Amino acid sequence: AQSVTQPDIHITVSEGASLELRCNYSYGATPYLFWYVQSPGQGLQLLLKYFSGDTLVQGIKGFEAEFKRSQSSFNLRKPSVHWSDAAEYFCAVALGGGADGLTFGKGTHLIIQP
Amino acid sequence: EAGVVQSPRYKIIEKKQPVAFWCNPISGHNTLYWYLQNLGQGPELLIRYENEEAVDDSQLPKDRFSAERLKGVDSTLKIQPAELGDSAVYLCASSSPGAGDTDTQYFGPGTRLTVL
């Protein structure tokens, strides 16, 4: 069965510092890959997605992610975080396409220090 | 454009009582999903609809959970009877395969259920 691992439950970063959130998937084939952000009391918002092509994907809010097939990873990055980036971040995968149900990781809680 | 609408936003019930959640997807989205999100966890798919048809309900606990999407638009998820372990956030999402933003699932704000 497909699975998604986000190794870091919590990450604390100083405002203005760079950020990398890790995501690994277990799958026989390359799945469709997504990163979502969830703020308290809010729904999940899509940051970016990877289906094929260029392995470096640009998303909203200054985020990017890099797909590495050899490492089965899809890590999320941002060069300089803002206090408003504090939220829960979820990596998700789908085998047959984005229309399939998504399999989510357990999430990484991002804390921003002033 | 309105997003995915869910109601109620919060619900508190006693165990063994029935409860229902309602979802209105984005206009024109023919695919609708219900997810369950436990505290500190990622969402888990319960059921996926393509128009009126439930095409994936393998994770739906059918002894107490049911769902419907009669006219291929709005959907209702029901629990009867509710158990303490059902306390969670129930998320609805929709997507429109074939549209410009293909295969992106848009999520509603969720319904937070507390079972006492």
Side-chain angles (χ1 to χ4, degrees):
Chain A
Q2 61 194 65
S3 66
V4 181
T5 302
Q6 293 181 249
D8 304 304
I9 298 174
H10 301 277
I11 282 188
T12 301
V13 178
S14 297
E15 189 168 16
S18 64
L19 170 70
E20 182 170 29
L21 302 182
R22 296 182 291 165
C23 173
N24 293 94
Y25 62 89
S26 173
Y27 228 137
T30 299
Y32 291 63
L33 297 157
F34 306 81
W35 274 100
Y36 281 85
V37 61
Q38 187 176 40
S39 298
Q42 302 296 313
L44 289 153
Q45 182 181 22
L46 180 69
L47 290 174
L48 45 78
K49 60 187 177 184
Y50 173 78
F51 289 173
S52 63
D54 192 344
T55 57
L56 185 63
V57 181
Q58 301 298 319
I60 63 171
K61 303 185 178 184
F63 285 93
E64 67 177 26
E66 186 172 11
F67 168 61
K68 292 185 177 180
R69 185 189 307 273
S70 61
Q71 298 178 19
S72 298
S73 69
F74 188 55
N75 293 350
L76 182 71
R77 301 194 295 248
K78 187 170 184 177
S80 175
V81 298
H82 186 263
W83 63 266
S84 61
D85 293 325
E88 194 81 19
Y89 290 79
F90 293 95
C91 181
V93 306
L95 175 58
D100 284 359
L102 298 173
T103 298
F104 285 85
K106 292 187 176 182
T108 296
H109 185 59
L110 177 61
I111 300 166
I112 306 297
Q113 281 184 335
Chain B
E1 177 183 285
V4 176
V5 179
Q6 292 188 247
S7 70
R9 290 293 309 276
Y10 304 90
K11 188 74 175 178
I12 301 174
I13 61 172
E14 294 190 345
K15 63 181 180 182
K16 300 185 182 180
Q17 295 300 305
V19 64
F21 315 123
W22 176 80
C23 173
N24 180 244
I26 293 173
S27 177
H29 282 195
N30 60 336
T31 307
L32 184 146
Y33 315 77
W34 283 103
Y35 289 85
L36 163 69
Q37 186 176 20
N38 287 305
L39 187 64
Q41 303 292 316
E44 300 170 27
L45 180 69
L46 289 172
I47 189 167
R48 174 168 66 100
Y49 281 94
E50 297 285 348
N51 299 305
E52 304 88 359
E53 182 181 1
V55 296
D56 183 359
D57 64 355
S58 58
Q59 301 304 310
L60 188 72
K62 298 181 183 63
D63 56 336
R64 296 184 300 108
F65 287 66
S66 64
E68 61 183 15
R69 194 184 185 200
L70 295 176
K71 296 184 179 180
V73 180
D74 296 1
S75 177
T76 302
L77 178 69
K78 298 178 181 177
I79 309 175
Q80 182 170 13
E83 298 179 351
L84 295 176
D86 296 331
S87 294
V89 176
Y90 292 82
L91 296 167
C92 179
S94 69
S95 71
S96 180
D101 195 9
T102 302
D103 294 342
T104 294
Q105 294 185 30
Y106 294 89
F107 284 80
T111 296
R112 181 177 296 277
L113 173 68
T114 302
V115 182
L116 303 176

